[in-house]
Amino acid sequence: MSQSIFNHVLGPVLHGPSSSHTAAAYHIAALVRSFLGEEPVEAHVAFDENGSWGQVYAQQGSDLAFTCGVLGWPIDDGRFFEALETARRQGVTVAFSVTTLPGAEHPNDMDVRFRGRSGGELRCRARSVGGGAVFLTEMDGHPVHLEGDAHDVVAPVPSRECARAVCAALERDGACPGEMSLADAKEGVHLVVSCRRAPSPEVRAALKALLAEECARSGFAESVLRVGTPVFFVPSGEPLFTSAAEAVRLAAEREGGLGEISRAYEAQLLGLSEEEVTAEMTRRYRIMRASVERGLCTEGDPMRLLDRSAGKVLAAEREGRLPQGGLHTRTAARALAAMHENSAMGVVVAAPTAGSAGVLPAVAVTLEEEWGLSEEQVVRSLFAASGVGLVVALRATFAAEVAGCQVEIGAAGAMAAAAVADAWGGSAQLACDAAAVAFQNTMGSICDPVQGCVEIPCHTRNAVAAASAFVCADLVAGGYVNPVPLDETVDAVYAVGTMLPAELRCTARGGLSLCPSALALPMRDLRASRRE
């Protein structure tokens, strides 16, 4: 499975506070809506009572994000807080329940049922896998593996010969069919084929006619042709590297840094020019920078549990009212700021998740404002950070529900250390070593959000990780020899994460989540305040 920087590492752009539970909810709804093939009038979602969704979906805006997807709105739509009310006004039923999901295999599994205006129905099992990435694992009772990064054609067909005829028609249409999956069903076979571009209206009509003819000839039940619209960039090339060791070797061969080789990776994978991927990274950096600026305002939108403090910390530092102060404290304040915006359900960039959306923006803004780097140089450092993120995505996960906070804020800290090392002019090896040191010092970090909100202790963890990124880069640049390489470090982090009990993996059932003071904190109604 190929991993993309924009699909899986530095993104998506989203309304906070959670990539796993806010962005992923949107992506699942948008993807299922596209397979339904018409305007939905009903959407029913069932969360597993033993999973993560059921514990936190209301606090983390999963219902709002899912409804945005049902309505066909963009993920960063300004009407985000109006989604449920708009659906009611338009006669669209969106309902959520917590129950037992038979056969659930992941803490982020959900069952979804859509009904369209013409009466057509679609049932899916879906899964959030971290950082906003999703899988559809079942469709209309058939196993599938759909990630939303292709124009997927799905249909029950009478025979394998019919399936091959469908693929041949797509090939003639220039849709570039990729991997084809055939699963034996009670009757016929279930076809899934991924395409790099959408089948034309003409070939869709031809395929429907072909399926109708084959079904009538064989006495097969009516076949419903479904075509999904991707919610992510569509890969069209092969990954340039699959490990940190390979990235370091290639960077040395090309006499470049980790940022340059990671940019080349994304361009090759997505079939885009390096100028195009640079433009997209620049767009995302500007959203990051704006989230820091908004978060530093002391009179911004409220959070559920915390009061705004980032602007106060930065002001105190500038006025010399702190025990130490300095670049590290200013960076930490900027990380708090981006997280304030995230927790107020503002628009942020998952980096690599929304729960860690403060670390990289803070470090990047510090590099620009305090090191005097150009925007172009900052963007290159973000590609270096993304190179480390790719290693995590390939070898582990970004889901705290699976491996704890170490793969969210811990991963962000490692990525940020690489960004600092690359911005300083360090080699790809130095950047990967700085990332490894950062990771080694967050290994075992649990995910224990107080009252299910991405605020306590998430904000200060982001702040500390952002500040320590400079320390880790300094240590390696100054002569510390990292004995355990990044690839092995990531493997160890993942192994430790899977050993954590479920209570310590984003369920709000352990750690600080159970402290009496934490449980007694009053929670604000962000939706009501936004509507006001």
Side-chain angles (χ1 to χ4, degrees):
M1 181 176 64
S2 61
Q3 299 290 320
S4 156
I5 289 172
F6 296 141
N7 290 351
H8 304 105
V9 178
L10 208 72
V13 176
L14 74 149
H15 273 277
S18 170
S19 46
S20 291
H21 294 125
T22 314
Y26 172 86
H27 290 145
I28 289 169
L31 193 55
V32 174
R33 173 192 164 100
S34 72
F35 278 111
L36 181 67
E38 59 175 313
E39 290 286 325
V41 293
E42 287 184 19
H44 295 267
V45 182
F47 302 125
D48 186 42
E49 61 185 356
N50 296 314
S52 182
W53 290 100
Q55 308 296 323
V56 299
Y57 81 91
Q59 299 94 315
Q60 298 191 357
S62 306
D63 51 352
L64 291 171
F66 190 90
T67 306
C68 283
V70 171
L71 295 172
W73 293 356
I75 192 170
D76 56 351
D77 197 288
R79 298 168 293 174
F80 182 79
F81 287 91
E82 304 168 17
L84 289 167
E85 180 58 34
T86 299
R88 282 192 290 268
R89 287 201 311 267
Q90 294 182 1
V92 179
T93 299
V94 185
F96 302 87
S97 63
V98 179
T99 185
T100 300
L101 297 187
E105 299 176 348
H106 191 281
N108 276 339
D109 277 352
M110 68 159 72
D111 280 352
V112 181
R113 178 170 60 85
F114 275 34
R115 185 172 67 85
R117 294 197 180 278
S118 69
E121 289 196 2
L122 176 60
R123 295 174 183 267
C124 295
R125 175 157 290 183
R127 177 177 301 169
S128 164
V129 293
V134 300
F135 295 159
L136 296 188
T137 60
E138 188 177 296
M139 183 178 293
D140 288 330
H142 299 282
V144 295
H145 184 91
L146 306 174
E147 301 179 38
D149 61 353
H151 299 270
D152 293 303
V153 177
V154 181
V157 296
S159 64
R160 293 176 179 267
E161 291 75 16
C162 182
R164 285 191 283 271
V166 170
C167 289
L170 291 169
E171 184 71 48
R172 290 192 298 271
D173 185 51
C176 300
E179 182 179 351
M180 180 180 73
S181 170
L182 288 174
D184 290 324
K186 290 182 180 179
E187 295 182 1
V189 295
H190 194 252
L191 168 68
V192 179
V193 59
S194 299
C195 300
R196 293 176 182 170
R197 74 168 180 81
S200 67
E202 293 76 17
V203 82
R204 289 196 195 202
L207 288 177
K208 289 180 180 179
L210 169 67
L211 291 175
E213 179 181 341
E214 288 294 314
C215 289
R217 185 180 60 80
S218 62
F220 188 76
E222 181 183 2
S223 176
V224 178
L225 178 73
R226 301 191 186 278
V227 181
T229 301
V231 293
F232 299 108
F233 282 95
V234 178
S236 60
E238 295 300 316
L240 192 58
F241 55 83
T242 58
S243 68
E246 288 182 10
V248 168
R249 178 180 57 78
L250 282 171
E253 289 176 359
R254 300 187 182 193
E255 299 183 343
L258 184 60
E260 292 159 326
I261 200 67
S262 298
R263 175 163 42 200
Y265 172 105
E266 191 71 352
Q268 177 170 303
L269 183 70
L270 299 183
L272 301 173
S273 67
E274 293 199 13
E275 290 75 17
E276 287 173 314
V277 296
T278 298
E280 177 60 21
M281 184 65 85
T282 302
R283 182 184 78 87
R284 296 188 183 202
Y285 171 54
R286 290 172 181 172
I287 295 171
M288 290 179 169
R289 187 169 56 199
S291 71
V292 172
E293 293 169 355
R294 290 193 300 269
L296 287 170
C297 297
T298 56
E299 299 298 327
D301 291 317
M303 295 175 280
R304 289 187 180 274
L305 298 174
L306 290 173
D307 294 321
R308 287 176 170 259
S309 59
K312 296 176 183 178
V313 172
L314 195 59
E317 194 281 332
R318 287 172 173 166
E319 295 165 11
R321 295 188 284 109
L322 298 180
Q324 179 60 47
L327 178 143
H328 301 86
T329 301
R330 294 191 294 274
T331 304
R334 293 179 182 119
L336 283 178
M339 288 306 295
H340 290 355
E341 184 65 12
N342 179 63
S343 291
M345 294 189 177
V347 177
V348 297
V349 178
T353 69
S356 59
V359 180
L360 271 173
V363 169
V365 169
T366 297
L367 292 176
E368 183 175 27
E369 293 189 0
E370 306 211 26
W371 280 23
L373 267 61
S374 66
E375 185 178 67
E376 180 181 0
Q377 291 171 313
V378 173
V379 165
R380 188 191 67 189
S381 76
L382 289 175
F383 274 111
S386 299
V388 171
L390 283 170
V391 176
V392 181
L394 287 163
R395 304 179 80 96
T397 179
F398 290 130
E401 299 85 355
V402 175
C405 189
Q406 58 178 357
V407 295
E408 292 203 18
I409 298 173
M415 292 165 65
V420 173
D422 185 83
W424 178 70
S427 66
Q429 183 65 66
L430 190 146
C432 287
D433 284 338
V437 170
F439 241 149
Q440 290 159 14
N441 285 280
T442 56
M443 189 179 300
S445 180
I446 67 173
C447 181
D448 52 346
V450 169
Q451 297 190 35
C453 299
V454 187
E455 295 185 22
I456 305 167
C458 318
H459 285 221
T460 53
R461 283 182 184 163
N462 272 263
V464 171
S468 70
F470 289 91
V471 175
C472 294
D474 278 352
L475 292 175
V476 176
Y480 174 77
V481 178
N482 170 48
V484 182
L486 180 59
D487 290 324
E488 294 181 27
T489 298
V490 171
D491 292 345
V493 165
Y494 188 39
V496 168
T498 59
M499 296 177 192
L500 293 173
E503 290 81 2
L504 303 181
R505 289 185 274 136
C506 200
T507 57
R509 293 185 291 175
L512 292 178
S513 301
L514 298 185
C515 292
S517 298
L519 292 170
L521 289 170
M523 184 182 292
R524 301 181 183 93
D525 185 348
L526 298 192
R527 306 178 192 205
S529 64
R530 286 281 192 153
R531 288 194 295 269
E532 292 170 1

mmCIF file of all heavy atoms in Angstrom, residues 166-203:
data_model
loop_
_atom_site.group_PDB
_atom_site.id
_atom_site.type_symbol
_atom_site.label_atom_id
_atom_site.label_comp_id
_atom_site.label_asym_id
_atom_site.label_seq_id
_atom_site.Cartn_x
_atom_site.Cartn_y
_atom_site.Cartn_z
ATOM 1 N N VAL A 166 -15.908 -5.962 -18.071
ATOM 2 C CA VAL A 166 -16.001 -4.636 -17.437
ATOM 3 C C VAL A 166 -14.636 -3.969 -17.435
ATOM 4 O O VAL A 166 -14.492 -2.790 -17.809
ATOM 5 C CB VAL A 166 -16.553 -4.759 -16.004
ATOM 6 C CG1 VAL A 166 -16.416 -3.431 -15.262
ATOM 7 C CG2 VAL A 166 -18.004 -5.206 -16.012
ATOM 8 N N CYS A 167 -13.600 -4.686 -17.033
ATOM 9 C CA CYS A 167 -12.249 -4.120 -17.002
ATOM 10 C C CYS A 167 -11.772 -3.731 -18.398
ATOM 11 O O CYS A 167 -11.110 -2.699 -18.577
ATOM 12 C CB CYS A 167 -11.280 -5.118 -16.383
ATOM 13 S SG CYS A 167 -11.506 -5.325 -14.609
ATOM 14 N N ALA A 168 -12.109 -4.534 -19.401
ATOM 15 C CA ALA A 168 -11.712 -4.215 -20.770
ATOM 16 C C ALA A 168 -12.367 -2.924 -21.234
ATOM 17 O O ALA A 168 -11.740 -2.091 -21.909
ATOM 18 C CB ALA A 168 -12.084 -5.369 -21.703
ATOM 19 N N ALA A 169 -13.631 -2.725 -20.857
ATOM 20 C CA ALA A 169 -14.330 -1.489 -21.233
ATOM 21 C C ALA A 169 -13.687 -0.284 -20.556
ATOM 22 O O ALA A 169 -13.540 0.788 -21.163
ATOM 23 C CB ALA A 169 -15.805 -1.593 -20.850
ATOM 24 N N LEU A 170 -13.289 -0.435 -19.301
ATOM 25 C CA LEU A 170 -12.617 0.657 -18.601
ATOM 26 C C LEU A 170 -11.265 0.956 -19.228
ATOM 27 O O LEU A 170 -10.863 2.116 -19.353
ATOM 28 C CB LEU A 170 -12.439 0.292 -17.126
ATOM 29 C CG LEU A 170 -13.720 0.219 -16.290
ATOM 30 C CD1 LEU A 170 -13.436 -0.419 -14.932
ATOM 31 C CD2 LEU A 170 -14.321 1.603 -16.106
ATOM 32 N N GLU A 171 -10.558 -0.086 -19.647
ATOM 33 C CA GLU A 171 -9.263 0.093 -20.296
ATOM 34 C C GLU A 171 -9.419 0.853 -21.605
ATOM 35 O O GLU A 171 -8.650 1.786 -21.896
ATOM 36 C CB GLU A 171 -8.618 -1.271 -20.552
ATOM 37 C CG GLU A 171 -7.218 -1.199 -21.140
ATOM 38 C CD GLU A 171 -6.206 -0.702 -20.134
ATOM 39 O OE1 GLU A 171 -6.189 -1.200 -18.997
ATOM 40 O OE2 GLU A 171 -5.436 0.207 -20.504
ATOM 41 N N ARG A 172 -10.412 0.504 -22.399
ATOM 42 C CA ARG A 172 -10.645 1.212 -23.663
ATOM 43 C C ARG A 172 -11.016 2.674 -23.419
ATOM 44 O O ARG A 172 -10.703 3.540 -24.232
ATOM 45 C CB ARG A 172 -11.763 0.513 -24.454
ATOM 46 C CG ARG A 172 -11.377 -0.846 -25.018
ATOM 47 C CD ARG A 172 -12.408 -1.342 -26.032
ATOM 48 N NE ARG A 172 -13.734 -1.521 -25.423
ATOM 49 C CZ ARG A 172 -14.139 -2.642 -24.845
ATOM 50 N NH1 ARG A 172 -13.315 -3.689 -24.785
ATOM 51 N NH2 ARG A 172 -15.353 -2.741 -24.338
ATOM 52 N N ASP A 173 -11.661 2.928 -22.306
ATOM 53 C CA ASP A 173 -12.080 4.292 -21.975
ATOM 54 C C ASP A 173 -10.912 5.140 -21.500
ATOM 55 O O ASP A 173 -11.034 6.355 -21.370
ATOM 56 C CB ASP A 173 -13.155 4.220 -20.871
ATOM 57 C CG ASP A 173 -13.753 5.573 -20.546
ATOM 58 O OD1 ASP A 173 -14.187 6.266 -21.488
ATOM 59 O OD2 ASP A 173 -13.771 5.944 -19.360
ATOM 60 N N GLY A 174 -9.778 4.516 -21.234
ATOM 61 C CA GLY A 174 -8.626 5.269 -20.741
ATOM 62 C C GLY A 174 -8.678 5.548 -19.262
ATOM 63 O O GLY A 174 -7.956 6.413 -18.762
ATOM 64 N N ALA A 175 -9.538 4.828 -18.533
ATOM 65 C CA ALA A 175 -9.649 5.054 -17.092
ATOM 66 C C ALA A 175 -8.482 4.437 -16.326
ATOM 67 O O ALA A 175 -8.386 4.604 -15.116
ATOM 68 C CB ALA A 175 -10.966 4.477 -16.566
ATOM 69 N N CYS A 176 -7.604 3.738 -17.023
ATOM 70 C CA CYS A 176 -6.411 3.138 -16.426
ATOM 71 C C CYS A 176 -6.740 2.261 -15.238
ATOM 72 O O CYS A 176 -6.342 2.546 -14.104
ATOM 73 C CB CYS A 176 -5.414 4.231 -15.996
ATOM 74 S SG CYS A 176 -4.853 5.278 -17.336
ATOM 75 N N PRO A 177 -7.507 1.201 -15.435
ATOM 76 C CA PRO A 177 -7.818 0.347 -14.290
ATOM 77 C C PRO A 177 -6.561 -0.243 -13.691
ATOM 78 O O PRO A 177 -5.661 -0.679 -14.398
ATOM 79 C CB PRO A 177 -8.717 -0.739 -14.901
ATOM 80 C CG PRO A 177 -8.455 -0.709 -16.360
ATOM 81 C CD PRO A 177 -8.080 0.691 -16.692
ATOM 82 N N GLY A 178 -6.516 -0.204 -12.380
ATOM 83 C CA GLY A 178 -5.367 -0.747 -11.678
ATOM 84 C C GLY A 178 -5.693 -2.102 -11.096
ATOM 85 O O GLY A 178 -6.107 -3.011 -11.809
ATOM 86 N N GLU A 179 -5.566 -2.228 -9.791
ATOM 87 C CA GLU A 179 -5.789 -3.514 -9.142
ATOM 88 C C GLU A 179 -7.246 -3.940 -9.242
ATOM 89 O O GLU A 179 -8.159 -3.164 -8.981
ATOM 90 C CB GLU A 179 -5.376 -3.418 -7.673
ATOM 91 C CG GLU A 179 -5.513 -4.724 -6.908
ATOM 92 C CD GLU A 179 -5.083 -4.589 -5.470
ATOM 93 O OE1 GLU A 179 -4.528 -3.531 -5.117
ATOM 94 O OE2 GLU A 179 -5.308 -5.538 -4.703
ATOM 95 N N MET A 180 -7.473 -5.190 -9.647
ATOM 96 C CA MET A 180 -8.823 -5.740 -9.701
ATOM 97 C C MET A 180 -8.962 -6.797 -8.623
ATOM 98 O O MET A 180 -8.073 -7.628 -8.420
ATOM 99 C CB MET A 180 -9.111 -6.376 -11.073
ATOM 100 C CG MET A 180 -10.514 -6.965 -11.183
ATOM 101 S SD MET A 180 -10.863 -7.717 -12.799
ATOM 102 C CE MET A 180 -9.873 -9.221 -12.708
ATOM 103 N N SER A 181 -10.082 -6.755 -7.909
ATOM 104 C CA SER A 181 -10.360 -7.724 -6.867
ATOM 105 C C SER A 181 -11.647 -8.462 -7.196
ATOM 106 O O SER A 181 -12.658 -7.836 -7.542
ATOM 107 C CB SER A 181 -10.493 -7.022 -5.512
ATOM 108 O OG SER A 181 -10.977 -7.910 -4.528
ATOM 109 N N LEU A 182 -11.607 -9.780 -7.127
ATOM 110 C CA LEU A 182 -12.784 -10.608 -7.360
ATOM 111 C C LEU A 182 -12.986 -11.498 -6.145
ATOM 112 O O LEU A 182 -12.060 -12.168 -5.696
ATOM 113 C CB LEU A 182 -12.606 -11.479 -8.604
ATOM 114 C CG LEU A 182 -12.666 -10.777 -9.963
ATOM 115 C CD1 LEU A 182 -12.328 -11.768 -11.060
ATOM 116 C CD2 LEU A 182 -14.026 -10.173 -10.197
ATOM 117 N N ALA A 183 -14.194 -11.476 -5.596
ATOM 118 C CA ALA A 183 -14.517 -12.318 -4.455
ATOM 119 C C ALA A 183 -15.746 -13.153 -4.785
ATOM 120 O O ALA A 183 -16.760 -12.615 -5.254
ATOM 121 C CB ALA A 183 -14.780 -11.458 -3.214
ATOM 122 N N ASP A 184 -15.640 -14.445 -4.579
ATOM 123 C CA ASP A 184 -16.790 -15.312 -4.820
ATOM 124 C C ASP A 184 -17.923 -14.965 -3.861
ATOM 125 O O ASP A 184 -17.714 -14.774 -2.663
ATOM 126 C CB ASP A 184 -16.398 -16.774 -4.643
ATOM 127 C CG ASP A 184 -15.474 -17.250 -5.748
ATOM 128 O OD1 ASP A 184 -15.657 -16.797 -6.895
ATOM 129 O OD2 ASP A 184 -14.567 -18.049 -5.457
ATOM 130 N N ALA A 185 -19.130 -14.837 -4.405
ATOM 131 C CA ALA A 185 -20.311 -14.556 -3.607
ATOM 132 C C ALA A 185 -21.240 -15.758 -3.649
ATOM 133 O O ALA A 185 -20.959 -16.770 -4.306
ATOM 134 C CB ALA A 185 -21.017 -13.303 -4.141
ATOM 135 N N LYS A 186 -22.370 -15.667 -2.950
ATOM 136 C CA LYS A 186 -23.346 -16.760 -2.980
ATOM 137 C C LYS A 186 -23.794 -17.023 -4.409
ATOM 138 O O LYS A 186 -24.008 -18.157 -4.820
ATOM 139 C CB LYS A 186 -24.536 -16.411 -2.095
ATOM 140 C CG LYS A 186 -24.215 -16.417 -0.609
ATOM 141 C CD LYS A 186 -25.462 -16.111 0.222
ATOM 142 C CE LYS A 186 -25.120 -16.127 1.709
ATOM 143 N NZ LYS A 186 -26.320 -15.798 2.539
ATOM 144 N N GLU A 187 -23.924 -15.932 -5.143
ATOM 145 C CA GLU A 187 -24.231 -16.024 -6.566
ATOM 146 C C GLU A 187 -23.260 -15.125 -7.313
ATOM 147 O O GLU A 187 -23.116 -13.949 -6.985
ATOM 148 C CB GLU A 187 -25.672 -15.589 -6.854
ATOM 149 C CG GLU A 187 -26.734 -16.496 -6.240
ATOM 150 C CD GLU A 187 -28.135 -16.036 -6.611
ATOM 151 O OE1 GLU A 187 -28.247 -15.037 -7.340
ATOM 152 O OE2 GLU A 187 -29.095 -16.678 -6.180
ATOM 153 N N GLY A 188 -22.604 -15.639 -8.324
ATOM 154 C CA GLY A 188 -21.690 -14.824 -9.101
ATOM 155 C C GLY A 188 -20.451 -14.433 -8.324
ATOM 156 O O GLY A 188 -20.015 -15.141 -7.414
ATOM 157 N N VAL A 189 -19.878 -13.299 -8.693
ATOM 158 C CA VAL A 189 -18.682 -12.789 -8.029
ATOM 159 C C VAL A 189 -18.869 -11.301 -7.760
ATOM 160 O O VAL A 189 -19.692 -10.638 -8.395
ATOM 161 C CB VAL A 189 -17.415 -13.011 -8.896
ATOM 162 C CG1 VAL A 189 -17.122 -14.485 -9.060
ATOM 163 C CG2 VAL A 189 -17.556 -12.330 -10.249
ATOM 164 N N HIS A 190 -18.077 -10.803 -6.799
ATOM 165 C CA HIS A 190 -18.132 -9.377 -6.472
ATOM 166 C C HIS A 190 -16.877 -8.720 -7.017
ATOM 167 O O HIS A 190 -15.759 -9.079 -6.654
ATOM 168 C CB HIS A 190 -18.235 -9.183 -4.957
ATOM 169 C CG HIS A 190 -18.626 -7.802 -4.550
ATOM 170 N ND1 HIS A 190 -17.754 -6.913 -3.968
ATOM 171 C CD2 HIS A 190 -19.811 -7.142 -4.670
ATOM 172 C CE1 HIS A 190 -18.373 -5.781 -3.728
ATOM 173 N NE2 HIS A 190 -19.622 -5.894 -4.141
ATOM 174 N N LEU A 191 -17.060 -7.740 -7.897
ATOM 175 C CA LEU A 191 -15.959 -7.082 -8.597
ATOM 176 C C LEU A 191 -15.645 -5.735 -7.958
ATOM 177 O O LEU A 191 -16.542 -4.937 -7.702
ATOM 178 C CB LEU A 191 -16.330 -6.869 -10.066
ATOM 179 C CG LEU A 191 -15.412 -5.951 -10.889
ATOM 180 C CD1 LEU A 191 -14.038 -6.581 -11.090
ATOM 181 C CD2 LEU A 191 -16.055 -5.612 -12.227
ATOM 182 N N VAL A 192 -14.359 -5.492 -7.732
ATOM 183 C CA VAL A 192 -13.865 -4.172 -7.328
ATOM 184 C C VAL A 192 -12.659 -3.863 -8.188
ATOM 185 O O VAL A 192 -11.706 -4.643 -8.228
ATOM 186 C CB VAL A 192 -13.466 -4.131 -5.838
ATOM 187 C CG1 VAL A 192 -12.930 -2.743 -5.484
ATOM 188 C CG2 VAL A 192 -14.631 -4.504 -4.938
ATOM 189 N N VAL A 193 -12.699 -2.753 -8.892
ATOM 190 C CA VAL A 193 -11.557 -2.356 -9.706
ATOM 191 C C VAL A 193 -11.306 -0.865 -9.508
ATOM 192 O O VAL A 193 -12.234 -0.065 -9.498
ATOM 193 C CB VAL A 193 -11.779 -2.685 -11.207
ATOM 194 C CG1 VAL A 193 -13.011 -2.000 -11.755
ATOM 195 C CG2 VAL A 193 -10.553 -2.309 -12.033
ATOM 196 N N SER A 194 -10.039 -0.517 -9.288
ATOM 197 C CA SER A 194 -9.656 0.867 -9.023
ATOM 198 C C SER A 194 -9.139 1.520 -10.296
ATOM 199 O O SER A 194 -8.337 0.929 -11.028
ATOM 200 C CB SER A 194 -8.568 0.917 -7.939
ATOM 201 O OG SER A 194 -9.044 0.377 -6.729
ATOM 202 N N CYS A 195 -9.592 2.747 -10.533
ATOM 203 C CA CYS A 195 -9.207 3.490 -11.737
ATOM 204 C C CYS A 195 -8.531 4.800 -11.345
ATOM 205 O O CYS A 195 -8.861 5.401 -10.325
ATOM 206 C CB CYS A 195 -10.431 3.793 -12.596
ATOM 207 S SG CYS A 195 -11.314 2.336 -13.167
ATOM 208 N N ARG A 196 -7.617 5.235 -12.190
ATOM 209 C CA ARG A 196 -6.886 6.466 -11.901
ATOM 210 C C ARG A 196 -7.659 7.709 -12.319
ATOM 211 O O ARG A 196 -7.309 8.818 -11.909
ATOM 212 C CB ARG A 196 -5.526 6.432 -12.591
ATOM 213 C CG ARG A 196 -4.604 5.375 -11.997
ATOM 214 C CD ARG A 196 -3.299 5.273 -12.752
ATOM 215 N NE ARG A 196 -2.450 4.216 -12.196
ATOM 216 C CZ ARG A 196 -1.341 3.783 -12.771
ATOM 217 N NH1 ARG A 196 -0.940 4.303 -13.925
ATOM 218 N NH2 ARG A 196 -0.632 2.830 -12.210
ATOM 219 N N ARG A 197 -8.662 7.543 -13.159
ATOM 220 C CA ARG A 197 -9.547 8.670 -13.456
ATOM 221 C C ARG A 197 -10.967 8.151 -13.592
ATOM 222 O O ARG A 197 -11.198 6.955 -13.755
ATOM 223 C CB ARG A 197 -9.103 9.415 -14.717
ATOM 224 C CG ARG A 197 -9.364 8.735 -16.029
ATOM 225 C CD ARG A 197 -9.134 9.736 -17.174
ATOM 226 N NE ARG A 197 -9.371 9.149 -18.475
ATOM 227 C CZ ARG A 197 -10.575 9.000 -19.018
ATOM 228 N NH1 ARG A 197 -11.662 9.349 -18.350
ATOM 229 N NH2 ARG A 197 -10.711 8.483 -20.227
ATOM 230 N N ALA A 198 -11.907 9.061 -13.492
ATOM 231 C CA ALA A 198 -13.314 8.674 -13.486
ATOM 232 C C ALA A 198 -13.728 8.105 -14.837
ATOM 233 O O ALA A 198 -13.378 8.669 -15.893
ATOM 234 C CB ALA A 198 -14.190 9.874 -13.145
ATOM 235 N N PRO A 199 -14.455 6.996 -14.848
ATOM 236 C CA PRO A 199 -15.004 6.501 -16.121
ATOM 237 C C PRO A 199 -15.921 7.553 -16.737
ATOM 238 O O PRO A 199 -16.651 8.247 -16.022
ATOM 239 C CB PRO A 199 -15.801 5.259 -15.704
ATOM 240 C CG PRO A 199 -15.235 4.858 -14.374
ATOM 241 C CD PRO A 199 -14.807 6.125 -13.715
ATOM 242 N N SER A 200 -15.887 7.669 -18.044
ATOM 243 C CA SER A 200 -16.712 8.667 -18.729
ATOM 244 C C SER A 200 -18.188 8.299 -18.619
ATOM 245 O O SER A 200 -18.537 7.134 -18.388
ATOM 246 C CB SER A 200 -16.322 8.742 -20.200
ATOM 247 O OG SER A 200 -16.660 7.525 -20.848
ATOM 248 N N PRO A 201 -19.078 9.281 -18.786
ATOM 249 C CA PRO A 201 -20.513 8.978 -18.771
ATOM 250 C C PRO A 201 -20.888 7.920 -19.807
ATOM 251 O O PRO A 201 -21.768 7.086 -19.562
ATOM 252 C CB PRO A 201 -21.157 10.331 -19.091
ATOM 253 C CG PRO A 201 -20.162 11.350 -18.631
ATOM 254 C CD PRO A 201 -18.823 10.732 -18.908
ATOM 255 N N GLU A 202 -20.198 7.954 -20.950
ATOM 256 C CA GLU A 202 -20.506 6.991 -22.008
ATOM 257 C C GLU A 202 -20.165 5.567 -21.576
ATOM 258 O O GLU A 202 -20.944 4.630 -21.800
ATOM 259 C CB GLU A 202 -19.739 7.344 -23.283
ATOM 260 C CG GLU A 202 -20.170 8.646 -23.945
ATOM 261 C CD GLU A 202 -19.662 9.884 -23.231
ATOM 262 O OE1 GLU A 202 -18.711 9.754 -22.415
ATOM 263 O OE2 GLU A 202 -20.223 10.973 -23.472
ATOM 264 N N VAL A 203 -19.000 5.385 -20.936
ATOM 265 C CA VAL A 203 -18.631 4.027 -20.544
ATOM 266 C C VAL A 203 -19.482 3.556 -19.365
ATOM 267 O O VAL A 203 -19.783 2.367 -19.247
ATOM 268 C CB VAL A 203 -17.125 3.925 -20.231
ATOM 269 C CG1 VAL A 203 -16.804 4.408 -18.818
ATOM 270 C CG2 VAL A 203 -16.632 2.482 -20.403
#
